[in-house]
């Protein structure tokens, strides 16, 4: 029997894309999965497809009262909280000069403050239950910089640091905290990107939500000696600087001039 039998998981942004794939993966581990999202029709459909081990609740991740209601509902329906996947995220495009301050702040609120608020409310429940696992879905934008999405980059770097701080605080409570750093993944957020985005990667393609979900499942079920760790899924994009060498052969070097 799975160690998670009789316990619950919460997946934010679980109504589609990476979140929906993660919910499906965790449901296979006998966890009761609470899909938490603003997108009620999509979230309800995902929960229905997963059957009696899943349910949907509306969640604005920046609202502490909604967090408390979602955690209460997850535990009432499926048992003590074992897993929290902070996946909800948004992006806004604009330079530092052109972006409106309110939009920058909104990205920080959803992508970083929302994850902190989830942890703030989930950790006491995990302590009572004897432990748990928190997976924060960051990005390669939390490992390097990208122009034109400064709020997203700032939030994802912040989420990476928050993960490490939480891991240091919570190890004694048997709560592991790790971050996942996907590159371009086929989701609604990347729908307007073409294949040129990934052309220079060692693996020149977009990733799939199910590949990220497999990594999250691994962290939860197998990586039992990992906490404060970063797990990267980017086709090798952050492994180095990719360029075309003389003669047309592609290579990489951390030292070569572009």
């Amino acid at each position: 029997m799975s160690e998670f039998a009789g316990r619950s998981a919460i997946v934010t942004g679980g109504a589609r894309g990476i979140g929906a794939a993660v919910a499906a993966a965790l449901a296979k581990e006998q966890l009761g999965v609470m899909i938490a999202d603003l997108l009620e029709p999509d979230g309800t459909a995902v929960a229905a497809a997963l059957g009696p081990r899943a349910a949907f609740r509306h969640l604005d991740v920046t609202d502490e009262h909604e967090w408390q209601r979602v955690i209460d509902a997850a535990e009432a329906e499926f048992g003590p909280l074992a897993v929290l996947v902070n996946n909800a995220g948004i992006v806004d495009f604009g330079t530092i000069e052109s972006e409106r301050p309110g939009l920058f702040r909104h990205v920080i609120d959803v992508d970083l403050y929302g994850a902190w608020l989830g942890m703030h409310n989930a950790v006491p429940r995990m302590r009572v239950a004897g432990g748990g696992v928190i997976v924060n879905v960051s990005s390669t934008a939390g490992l390097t910089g990208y122009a034109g999405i400064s709020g997203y980059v700032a939030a994802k770097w912040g989420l990476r640091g928050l993960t490490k701080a939480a891991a240091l605080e919570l190890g004694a409570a048997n709560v592991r905290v790790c971050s996942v750093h996907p590159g371009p993944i086929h989701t609604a957020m990347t729908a307007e990107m073409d294949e040129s985005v990934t052309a220079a990667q060692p693996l020149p393609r977009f990733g799939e939500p199910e590949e990220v979900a497999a990594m999250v499942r691994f962290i939860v079920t197998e990586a039992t000696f990992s906490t404060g760790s970063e797990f990267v899924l980017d086709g090798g994009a952050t492994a180095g600087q990719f360029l075309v060498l003389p003669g047309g052969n592609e290579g990489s070097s951390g030292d070569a001039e572009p």
Side-chain angles (χ1 to χ4, degrees):
M1 178 177 291
S2 168
E3 65 177 297
F4 298 114
R7 296 190 65 183
S8 61
I10 296 172
V11 180
T12 70
R16 62 186 184 186
I18 291 172
V22 169
L26 294 182
K28 294 177 181 178
E29 296 299 323
Q30 299 185 39
L31 281 156
V33 181
M34 184 61 72
I35 296 161
D37 206 309
L38 294 174
L39 304 175
E40 186 165 350
D42 291 345
T44 301
V46 171
L50 294 179
R53 299 300 301 165
F56 171 81
R57 291 291 185 280
H58 180 279
L59 175 64
D60 173 353
V61 295
T62 68
D63 186 325
E64 182 166 17
H65 296 297
E66 288 202 11
W67 265 112
Q68 293 168 352
R69 287 195 291 269
V70 166
I71 294 171
D72 286 344
E75 294 200 319
E77 191 151 354
F78 300 121
L81 185 63
V83 178
L84 169 63
V85 181
N86 282 311
N87 169 70
I90 60 172
V91 64
D92 183 59
F93 297 91
T95 66
I96 290 173
E97 293 174 281
S98 67
E99 188 172 22
R100 287 185 290 163
L103 289 176
F104 177 89
R105 177 61 181 270
H106 184 51
V107 172
I108 298 294
D109 283 350
V110 173
D111 294 6
L112 180 56
Y113 174 65
W116 177 88
L117 200 56
M119 295 166 67
H120 176 72
N121 286 280
V123 166
R125 310 295 186 95
M126 291 181 174
R127 285 186 184 275
V128 170
V133 184
I134 298 171
V135 181
N136 292 322
V137 181
S138 180
S139 166
T140 53
L143 301 171
T144 187
Y146 293 102
I149 52 171
S150 61
Y152 187 77
V153 171
K156 294 303 186 178
W157 274 83
L159 191 55
R160 177 185 175 196
L162 177 63
T163 297
K164 293 184 181 299
L168 293 171
E169 292 182 13
L170 300 174
N174 195 33
V175 176
R176 296 189 294 111
V177 192
C178 294
S179 58
V180 172
H181 297 261
I185 306 295
H186 275 135
T187 67
M189 189 178 285
T190 62
E192 296 184 6
M193 297 181 183
D194 62 33
E195 297 299 326
S196 66
V197 172
T198 62
Q201 294 174 183
L203 303 180
R205 65 174 178 85
F206 279 68
E208 299 299 331
E210 291 75 18
E211 292 176 297
V212 183
M215 180 64 82
V216 173
R217 185 180 182 184
F218 169 76
I219 294 167
V220 170
T221 63
E222 301 293 337
T224 53
F225 197 50
S226 293
T227 193
S229 305
E230 297 152 2
F231 293 80
V232 183
L233 306 92
D234 67 350
T238 58
Q241 294 176 324
F242 297 95
L243 64 157
V244 177
L245 298 176
N249 296 317
E250 291 187 0
S252 68
S253 169
D255 299 319
E257 292 292 329

